[in-house]
Amino acid sequence: MVNKKMVMIPGPTPVTKSIQDQMGREIQAFGDPRFVNDYKQLIDELGTLLNCSGITFPLAGTGTLAMEMSLSNVTKRGDNILIISHGYFGDRFAEIAERKGLKTDVMHSEWGKIVPVEDIESKLREKHYAAITVSHVDTSTGVLAPIAEIGDMMKRFPDTLFIVDGVAATGGEYTDVDRMNIDILFTGSQKAFGVCPGMFILWASKKALLRRKELGIIPEYYVDFEKWIPIMENPAMYFATPAVNLVWAMLEATHIIMNEGYKARAERHIKNARAMQKALTSLGFTILAEESHRASTLSNLVYPNGLDDAKFRGSLYEEGITVAGGLAQYAGRMFRLGHMGNIDMNDEVAVLGVIERALASCGRDIEFGSSIGIYFSEMSK
Ligand SMILES: *Cc1c(COP(=O)(O)O)cnc(C)c1O
């Protein structure tokens, strides 16, 4: 019998049956009062879930489009911007900013570490920045940025907007837009919300909306806040076609989070991640991110000496589990395992079992079940 296939990359993540069912529903016109009502409900509930008193934009597009949308609406050509990069996605933000003609300063951390908050503060004292960007979790390194602490520090720089890339975090790592002093937060449907790819959600604070107004006409069209605000306030209006089935799927995913409770869900992510990380280290992998800044949504596992990336991941794939490879300087030296969204203990145990079998088929000396024992004893603490 062929093993069940599991997609354990850091997005797309497994999509549960009730969410799949929403994707498979018969289409409705975007002006159908039933759909308008569902879209309105999604916008309102997502705003409440993330405690955003500004406007929430759930739109068709991916996380990268949300990155563009965030910069387009609060900066103009020639503005200074500070990018905090904890890896590949921080660097992507710098590339987008440069193309937009922003005067871009990038603070890099060594992979696995964070840029200390004090260093960010000193940099902000050097000159005026229109905005600063931080990835909540950088998927290339599995590093978790101290968003709440940075948000607190940003209160001393009220003219600099705080943009958070929550694509591999929001819905898994706890986030509160207003309390964390975030001006723009965004995520993609396919990560910790556990929905198919194709939608992003962007939360904008009142301050971000005000900044957008001050800019007048901006060059971008599809991602312009001003174009979308009337639709977010009344989804019976048209600007560009909403991704109807993704709206339903996101609504179901949002209800799953609300029923679990966002705080409880974030705590579950932390507990599961610590258990997975302990189990995986026992098999010889090293976690790239420093312990104090480790994401709960994924693990970036550096190989023990002599383990071949292609052979190991190939063997996992044959057994039914897809994981992601390392990026940039970690290509071939690491694999990335997503453990976010709507997955449970049984899924995680299955993954550990397959990893043990793959290691054995790569010639490693493995005591079968050992990592699963460690996982269970951590989970029962
Ligand atoms: C996945 C990811 C993105 C890009 O999202 P896409 O949906 O692939 O465009 C951006 N930032 C982070 C941190 C991510 O993990």
Side-chain angles (χ1 to χ4, degrees), residues 10-11 61-67 89-90 92 135-140 165-169 186-191 197-200 336 340:
T62 76
T64 307
L65 187 61
M67 294 170 96
F89 286 103
R92 170 172 291 188
S135 314
H136 195 169
V137 169
D138 200 301
T139 329
S140 61
D165 173 351
V167 180
F186 54 84
T187 192
S189 52
Q190 79 276 25
K191 307 241 173 153
M199 186 168 224
F200 69 83
R336 295 177 303 137
M340 65 182 108

Side-chain angles (χ1 to χ4, degrees), residues 15 23 38 53 63 90 102-103 114-116 124 141 160 177 179 182 195 214 269 293 307 310 319 356 363 381:
V15 179
M23 292 301 294
D38 293 341
S53 56
L102 301 174
K103 296 199 184 102
I114 59 161
V115 176
L124 288 168
T141 54
T160 302
V177 171
R179 277 201 195 91
I182 297 170
V195 174
E214 287 163 9
H269 273 78
H293 312 294
L307 188 66
E319 293 265 4
E356 288 187 358
K381 269 183 190 165

Side-chain angles (χ1 to χ4, degrees), residues 11-12 36-38 40 42 53 83 87 90 111 123 131 142 177 180 187 191 208 215 257 286 291 319 329 344 349 368:
V36 169
N37 196 52
D38 293 341
K40 183 74 193 141
L42 178 66
S53 56
I83 311 279
W111 275 35
K123 190 80 187 164
V177 171
M180 294 180 178
T187 192
K191 307 241 173 153
L215 294 179
I257 299 177
T286 316
E291 196 161 4
E319 293 265 4
Q329 68 261 44
D344 61 19
V349 167
F368 288 124

